[in-house]
Amino acid sequence: MNATSAAVVDLDDADGLLGADRLGLLRAASMAGAQVRAAAAALDEGDLEELRSDVPPRTVVWVAGRGNADTAGTLLAAVLGGSVGAPIVVAAEAPPWIGALDVLVVAGDDAGDPALVAAAATGVRRGARVVVVAPFEGPLRDATAGRSVALPPRLPVPDDFTLVRYLAAGLAVLDVITPGVRADLAGLADELDAEAFRNSAGRDLFTNPAKALANQMSGRDVVFAGDTAATLILARHACTVMLRIAHQTVAAAGLADVLTAIGTGWGRGTGADDALSIFHDEQIEGPLPARTRTFVLTADADRPAISARLRGFDDVNVVNADDVPDVEVAGDEPGPVPARGPGRPEQQLALLAVRLEMAAVYRRLVRG
């Protein structure tokens, strides 16, 4: 992995960042709360009522071929699979055993995707309750019209920033079909709006968690690590958005693998290298090798244990949803506010996803 080119826009230069944002990436990344509110509106308007049944589902099958739709299904299975009363199965196609006792969620961004169309048609034919979380048009509509529930996107958002839409749709479906599961989508939308506001271009580096992440990545090789199934999935999502949005290659790995590598000297300079670096001449000797920084993504409740585990390791940062400056803007002046209470696991993952996406935007914008 090579370090990205030198920054030409300062992270604290709000006007420069906005001027460099010719594609409207900051606005797109800030629409997470609006996407969740759209799913909440569909739930409140009764769009999912046809899914209700006195019989709990045998399984919830999430079919998604690629991208954020697949990531969202895998995250939901990792976080909620053990608590919703029905196993969540993530697959690339409808399984051969699917039937009337199952709920099939077909998620994606292409209404003409043959895999999604075939899965939806199979689910309808075998009597499953089918939910289409995709544009409801073309072949997908023809295969399921009148025999499925549709949750098409209500807001135009670039594909890079749609993870929370699929997460919200999945939570809405589970709210309807699973006894005892209640999705607080309005609360989640409020938290995502607050996260986007904290990360806005007008916030300076020391009060902006996304800018802080982007700054810590500067001039470094970067690894995102997770210590659970859910945080490892989120680490892989970070790699995706850094590549697609920031055009920067980073790696994802399990925390145990990262600690093993660091323990053998990987990512660190020797003492001799550090002493010689002040005399180093890039014109003659070429650039020094980039050091590595590892970001460990974790749940709020797990942060103390993870931090204790990482004590003594250099260039390792722990990142969790509540790891934010304790300020907010009231009028035009910042002031102290109480710490945010612990959120549900899926809420924390959504907040971290938005922060990582906005950090990727800033990594892109600083290059002008």
Side-chain angles (χ1 to χ4, degrees), residues 100-113:
L101 297 177
D102 305 304
V103 172
L104 173 66
V105 181
V106 178
D109 57 10
D110 182 2
D113 186 331

Side-chain angles (χ1 to χ4, degrees), residues 42-65:
L43 184 61
D44 293 341
E45 291 165 8
D47 290 1
L48 300 176
E49 287 304 306
E50 292 182 20
L51 295 176
R52 292 196 186 275
S53 172
D54 295 333
V55 180
R58 178 179 60 177
T59 59
V60 179
V61 181
W62 184 285
V63 173

Side-chain angles (χ1 to χ4, degrees), residues 59 175 198 247:
T59 59
D175 182 287
R198 281 190 292 267
H247 299 165

Side-chain angles (χ1 to χ4, degrees), residues 167-236:
L167 283 173
L171 291 171
V173 170
L174 292 174
D175 182 287
V176 172
I177 67 173
T178 308
V181 174
R182 290 296 174 264
D184 182 13
L185 294 180
L188 175 58
D190 289 342
E191 289 287 354
L192 293 176
D193 282 344
E195 178 68 22
F197 184 67
R198 281 190 292 267
N199 296 322
S200 59
R203 287 276 191 144
D204 63 52
L205 180 63
F206 297 104
T207 62
N208 188 315
K211 283 186 179 181
L213 277 174
N215 185 61
Q216 291 163 350
M217 295 174 66
S218 180
R220 298 292 190 109
D221 288 340
V222 173
V223 175
F224 287 96
D227 197 36
T228 65
T231 54
L232 184 54
I233 294 163
L234 189 61
R236 291 170 180 158

